[in-house]
Amino acid sequence: GENVEQHPSTLSVQEGDSAVIKCTYSDSASNYFPWYKQELGKGPQLIIDIRSNVGEKKDQRIAVTLNKTAKHFSLHITETQPEDSAVYFCAASIVARGNEKLTFGTGTRLTIIP
Amino acid sequence: NAGVTQTPKFRVLKTGQSMTLLCAQDMNHEYMYWYRQDPGMGLRLIHYSVGEGTTAKGEVPDGYNVSRLKKQNFLLGLESAAPSQTSVYFCASSRPRTRRETQYFGPGTRLLVL
């Protein structure tokens, strides 16, 4: 089955600096890669996702890049703010009829230092 | 529109006791999922359902049972709780017809088994 590795497990950055979280996946058939943000005491929320037919996607201060050849994808947060502090999870899946299961990475705890 | 709700929010059980966790969604989603979240292990899929009356095993199904009698509800049962089932449980749902890959999560149920 799919295996997703996520690094680093913890990350601290100064407010205003950029943060990068990296994930690798094992199954070359995976074609959907979402990123979730989990705040303390809450459930994960989707913040951005990318499909295998594109290499990069941006949404304001957040961007995700995908390298299918190397089987890795990354989350980039620019101009970080205190409200970006949270645990971030990457995930991968093979989107097909009747199979929408996500395999998650182990999470990155991001702390923004004011 | 409440999204995905979970009942209860917190529960303490003694080893051997049974309980049922309830997940409800009001988004008319076809697919529903149960995950458990443990420190350093991300989210792992327990069971899932692709429609009313259907269920399937995920990555870590042992010790759990599920039922999907109504489209909007997905129940997770522990017949004989064990300390290893101490975890935070998340329910999620998704809609296969539009943006079918996106999973929406509930707020979680924290379970402690003594």
Side-chain angles (χ1 to χ4, degrees):
Chain A
E2 174 68 280
N3 182 49
V4 177
E5 295 189 357
Q6 182 172 348
H7 300 281
S9 57
T10 60
L11 179 62
S12 296
V13 300
Q14 291 288 140
E15 183 178 351
D17 288 350
S18 297
V20 180
I21 302 171
K22 299 181 179 181
C23 289
T24 59
Y25 61 99
S26 61
D27 192 337
S28 57
S30 290
N31 56 8
Y32 174 64
F33 307 92
W35 285 88
Y36 284 83
K37 176 182 181 182
Q38 185 177 24
E39 297 177 339
L40 192 62
K42 297 184 178 180
Q45 281 199 308
L46 179 74
I47 55 172
I48 195 168
D49 57 13
I50 192 168
R51 289 161 182 78
S52 59
N53 57 344
V54 297
E56 183 177 3
K57 182 177 178 181
K58 289 184 178 179
D59 183 2
Q60 299 183 342
R61 297 185 297 107
I62 294 174
V64 57
T65 58
L66 171 65
N67 184 325
K68 289 175 59 179
T69 302
K71 290 191 283 187
H72 68 69
F73 56 112
S74 300
L75 177 71
H76 304 254
I77 306 174
T78 58
E79 300 174 11
T80 53
Q81 301 170 2
E83 54 265 35
D84 295 329
S85 293
V87 179
Y88 291 81
F89 291 96
C90 62
S93 77
I94 303 169
V95 175
R97 186 170 296 279
N99 181 5
E100 314 293 341
K101 292 180 288 183
L102 289 172
T103 299
F104 284 85
T106 51
T108 296
R109 182 175 299 278
L110 175 63
T111 302
I112 307 302
I113 304 167
Chain B
N1 190 334
V4 179
T5 58
Q6 293 183 232
T7 308
K9 289 183 170 54
F10 177 70
R11 183 76 182 269
V12 178
L13 287 180
K14 293 181 180 179
T15 297
Q17 287 184 320
S18 64
M19 77 163 295
T20 300
L21 284 68
L22 171 64
C23 175
Q25 52 94 5
D26 60 2
M27 298 176 283
N28 199 34
H29 284 179
E30 293 292 332
Y31 290 11
M32 297 186 74
Y33 314 80
W34 275 108
Y35 294 88
R36 60 178 288 173
Q37 184 176 41
D38 302 293
M41 301 188 76
L43 291 101
R44 294 182 292 169
L45 182 65
I46 305 171
H47 286 280
Y48 65 102
S49 168
V50 299
E52 183 178 322
T54 70
T55 62
K57 293 180 180 180
E59 180 185 355
V60 288
D62 294 343
Y64 306 94
N65 56 75
V66 288
S67 64
R68 184 100 181 267
L69 299 180
K70 294 183 179 180
K71 185 178 183 179
Q72 64 268 32
N73 295 337
F74 195 27
L75 278 63
L76 178 71
L78 286 73
E79 290 187 349
S80 180
S84 60
Q85 294 178 304
T86 292
S87 188
V88 182
Y89 293 85
F90 287 99
C91 176
S93 69
S94 66
R95 181 173 184 174
R97 289 180 175 80
T98 57
R99 282 195 62 81
R100 59 186 185 183
E101 309 92 347
T102 301
Q103 293 189 18
Y104 298 86
F105 283 81
T109 293
R110 187 174 297 274
L111 176 65
L112 175 61
V113 183
L114 301 176

